[in-house]
Amino acid sequence: MSATGVTTLSQEQLAFRNAMAHLPAAVSIITTNGSAGRCGITASAVCSVTDSPPTILVCINRGSAMHDLFRKNGRLCVNVLSDEQEQLALHFSGATKVAMEERFAWDLWEPDQPQPMLRDALVKLQGRIKEFKEVGSHSVMFVELDDIRVSEEKDSLIYFNRLFHKVKRMAA
């Protein structure tokens, strides 16, 4: 940290962040609900691990106010956003300053789901967090899926070079 209390990044850290900004990634809203509370965050750090059993990994900053809610609840839903959900990505990133409870009050959610599931998401993946692994500033959550839903008719939203982009599916 510098004398002003602002973290100064090394050249290596800056180069890494720039490289990752050039790695196109799907945009998701990761949600959880349970005894610790309900929350959601926008993330692009989601990756497949294996199909036996169906498992993904999700990375979350350990400094996030929502980190411990995910750990304590032990379950989550990855809502992979469609091309029409860019504004939601901004809301759940905190960019718009809309309160968390207001976001969950909007008529966007599937009723009667154990985890908050966006009705119009491109892909919806619910599961149990089987393992937390701390790596540097983040925790890697390994999630074994028990509910997988895909909308074949929607287009995708990706994050590339610090901007959102829409990706159209190919006609069959």
Side-chain angles (χ1 to χ4, degrees), residues 42 87-98 103 164:
T42 299
Q87 191 63 37
L88 278 177
L90 292 171
H91 289 311
F92 279 88
S93 74
T96 62
K97 308 296 184 203
V98 173
R103 299 174 205 170
F164 294 110

Side-chain angles (χ1 to χ4, degrees), residues 89-110:
L90 292 171
H91 289 311
F92 279 88
S93 74
T96 62
K97 308 296 184 203
V98 173
M100 189 67 68
E101 282 310 307
E102 185 177 339
R103 299 174 205 170
F104 285 109
W106 296 329
D107 186 27
L108 310 167
W109 304 98
E110 294 276 359

Side-chain angles (χ1 to χ4, degrees), residues 9-10 12 21 36 39-40 70-71 77 80 90-91 94 109 114-115 136 140 168 172:
L9 299 176
S10 70
E12 183 178 56
C39 71
F70 283 95
R71 181 184 290 276
C77 182
V80 181
L90 292 171
H91 289 311
W109 304 98
Q115 300 303 306
V140 180
K168 301 291 180 191

Side-chain angles (χ1 to χ4, degrees), residues 8 11 16 29-30 34 37 46 63 65-66 82 90 104 112 123 140 144 149 160-162 166:
T8 304
Q11 287 297 80
F16 176 78
I29 294 175
I30 316 301
V46 176
M66 289 160 268
S82 74
L90 292 171
F104 285 109
D112 305 318
V123 176
V140 180
E144 190 173 307
R149 303 177 193 196
F160 171 71
N161 199 19
R162 297 178 177 90
K166 297 173 182 187

Side-chain angles (χ1 to χ4, degrees), residues 22-171:
H22 286 80
L23 181 67
V27 180
S28 299
I29 294 175
I30 316 301
T31 58
T32 188
N33 190 24
S35 61
R38 178 173 59 181
C39 71
I41 60 169
T42 299
S44 59
V46 176
C47 180
S48 66
V49 175
T50 182
D51 65 355
S52 299
T55 304
I56 60 173
L57 65 80
V58 179
C59 300
I60 183 172
N61 190 311
R62 290 187 356 225
S64 166
M66 289 160 268
H67 177 272
D68 289 345
L69 273 72
F70 283 95
R71 181 184 290 276
K72 290 174 184 170
N73 286 341
R75 293 192 59 83
L76 60 74
C77 182
V78 174
N79 296 277
V80 181
L81 300 185
S82 74
D83 65 329
E84 300 170 345
Q85 296 176 308
E86 182 176 332
Q87 191 63 37
L88 278 177
L90 292 171
H91 289 311
F92 279 88
S93 74
T96 62
K97 308 296 184 203
V98 173
M100 189 67 68
E101 282 310 307
E102 185 177 339
R103 299 174 205 170
F104 285 109
W106 296 329
D107 186 27
L108 310 167
W109 304 98
E110 294 276 359
D112 305 318
Q113 291 299 313
Q115 300 303 306
M117 181 183 285
L118 283 166
R119 187 175 331 138
D120 293 328
L122 176 65
V123 176
K124 305 162 198 176
L125 306 168
Q126 286 195 78
R128 178 172 310 285
I129 301 168
K130 298 299 274 188
E131 182 180 347
F132 258 83
K133 179 160 179 64
E134 294 183 0
V135 180
S137 60
H138 282 63
S139 287
V140 180
M141 299 179 284
F142 291 89
V143 182
E144 190 173 307
L145 302 175
D146 50 40
D147 188 359
I148 301 170
R149 303 177 193 196
V150 179
S151 174
E152 302 286 348
E153 297 80 36
K154 296 188 181 299
D155 296 319
S156 183
L157 182 67
I158 66 166
Y159 196 67
F160 171 71
N161 199 19
R162 297 178 177 90
L163 296 170
F164 294 110
H165 301 273
K166 297 173 182 187
V167 176
K168 301 291 180 191
R169 60 189 164 78
M170 296 291 291

